[in-house]
Amino acid sequence: MQLHVNYALTLKNKSGKNKREFPLKVNFSTHEDRTVIFGPSGCGKSVTLQVIAGLLKPTTGKVELQDTVLFDSAKQINVPANQRRIGYVFQDYALFPHLSVMENAGYSLRQWPIPLSAENKQRVKEMLDVFGMSDLAHSLPSQLSGGQRQRVALARALLSKPEILLLDEPLSAMDVLLRVKMREELIQIQQRFKVPMIIITHDLDDVKALANSIVVFKQGAIADVLPYEQMRQEFGEEQAWEQVLQASRKAFGI
């Protein structure tokens, strides 16, 4: 997998008489199975995922996934979000509260208002079985734990057979023990489905457990790009991690 992201965008926030502008200029590439985007809150991490997914249109720039140009301001290319073959797991999982686990998981396969075909129903059942959610197929999101809701969101994203999976703070709402378990599950999912992941976090423990490559953000820009897996092999775990901490301190202004 090769992903190249290069864009400029100025977010504008109007609140009463106050007008605030937040310029972003982001440029990085990755070819790793698991890339972690790390940095302080409000620095542009989630905006970057939305640009990759086609949910936000930059002012200028270019986004490429494998050999496909998803966005190119110079050539006026902007592939619609639903044609990008990108799976997106939102921070709050974005499950429909009135739909069951099965209906939520199969949402991307359904052409509304036509019900799911028998073939797609079977695909959903098989995916729920992979995630250990078959017994909860008819439950509502309000009846699920945080980890279970995440599994439904992941199942929904993977059923669309994405070329890449974007995860926005997937572990932020979980307690410490559940975070440890879900980190292991994310690694297993990535390896089982052979789908590259871009994972946002501001938790260093997530970075250490999940990252093959690290994109460190500072306010509205990239502070550093670290080939973490390669660094560990070349310098050892301790020295590689010290370099990550140094880059993090700079990004957070510590």
Side-chain angles (χ1 to χ4, degrees):
M1 187 277 298
Q2 181 69 35
L3 173 70
H4 177 61
V5 180
N6 181 8
Y7 76 89
L9 173 66
T10 298
L11 296 178
K12 297 180 181 180
N13 182 23
K14 296 180 180 179
S15 179
K17 295 181 180 179
N18 297 323
K19 295 181 180 180
R20 297 179 61 190
E21 293 190 350
F22 178 53
L24 290 96
K25 195 168 184 180
V26 172
N27 187 358
F28 72 91
S29 297
T30 180
H31 62 272
E32 296 289 355
D33 289 336
R34 292 189 308 276
T35 299
V36 171
I37 294 179
F38 175 74
S41 298
C43 64
K45 302 188 301 295
S46 294
V47 171
T48 298
L49 285 200
Q50 292 173 46
V51 167
I52 297 169
L55 302 177
L56 269 179
K57 182 181 178 182
T59 309
T60 61
K62 190 174 183 179
V63 178
E64 294 178 275
L65 178 60
Q66 298 289 61
D67 298 323
T68 303
V69 177
L70 301 178
F71 176 81
D72 189 332
S73 57
K75 296 183 178 179
Q76 297 187 329
I77 296 172
N78 187 23
V79 178
N82 61 358
Q83 296 177 23
R84 293 197 178 195
R85 296 202 59 191
I86 290 175
Y88 200 126
V89 177
F90 293 88
Q91 187 172 355
D92 61 358
Y93 311 132
L95 300 180
F96 297 99
H98 61 291
L99 298 183
S100 68
V101 164
M102 173 165 277
E103 290 168 329
N104 266 292
Y107 189 84
S108 63
L109 301 179
R110 185 171 173 181
Q111 296 180 336
W112 294 85
I114 303 170
L116 280 175
S117 65
E119 180 183 352
N120 281 336
K121 278 186 179 179
Q122 184 60 33
R123 283 183 61 194
V124 176
K125 288 178 181 178
E126 289 172 359
M127 185 65 77
L128 290 180
D129 189 49
V130 167
F131 282 92
M133 296 293 292
S134 298
D135 293 343
L136 297 169
H138 301 292
S139 301
L140 294 174
S142 60
Q143 299 170 305
L144 306 179
S145 68
Q148 289 168 337
R149 287 195 294 273
Q150 186 191 69
R151 292 184 187 105
V152 177
L154 284 165
R156 178 176 61 189
L158 289 167
L159 277 162
S160 65
K161 296 183 178 179
E163 293 185 2
I164 192 169
L165 194 57
L166 310 180
L167 298 99
D168 191 349
E169 297 276 8
L171 310 176
S172 61
M174 300 179 185
D175 61 39
V176 175
L177 292 178
L178 186 55
R179 286 178 83 106
V180 173
K181 177 179 174 60
M182 292 310 297
R183 286 183 198 123
E184 294 171 355
E185 286 197 13
L186 285 176
I187 293 170
Q188 291 168 5
I189 290 164
Q190 188 276 312
Q191 293 172 343
R192 176 168 184 162
F193 290 94
K194 308 296 184 187
V195 58
M197 292 179 173
I198 308 292
I199 307 163
I200 285 180
T201 186
H202 58 263
D203 187 305
L204 279 168
D205 288 333
D206 293 343
V207 176
K208 195 169 191 177
L210 295 170
N212 296 134
S213 176
I214 306 167
V215 180
V216 184
F217 267 65
K218 57 183 179 181
Q219 205 67 9
I222 302 296
D224 215 338
V225 179
L226 305 172
Y228 184 47
E229 182 64 29
Q230 181 182 331
M231 289 161 56
R232 283 188 291 192
Q233 292 176 7
E234 290 184 6
F235 311 127
E237 184 77 38
E238 187 174 340
Q239 189 174 342
W241 187 242
E242 183 55 39
Q243 290 188 37
V244 173
L245 292 178
Q246 288 178 11
S248 302
R249 293 186 193 106
K250 290 180 183 178
F252 281 81
I254 299 172

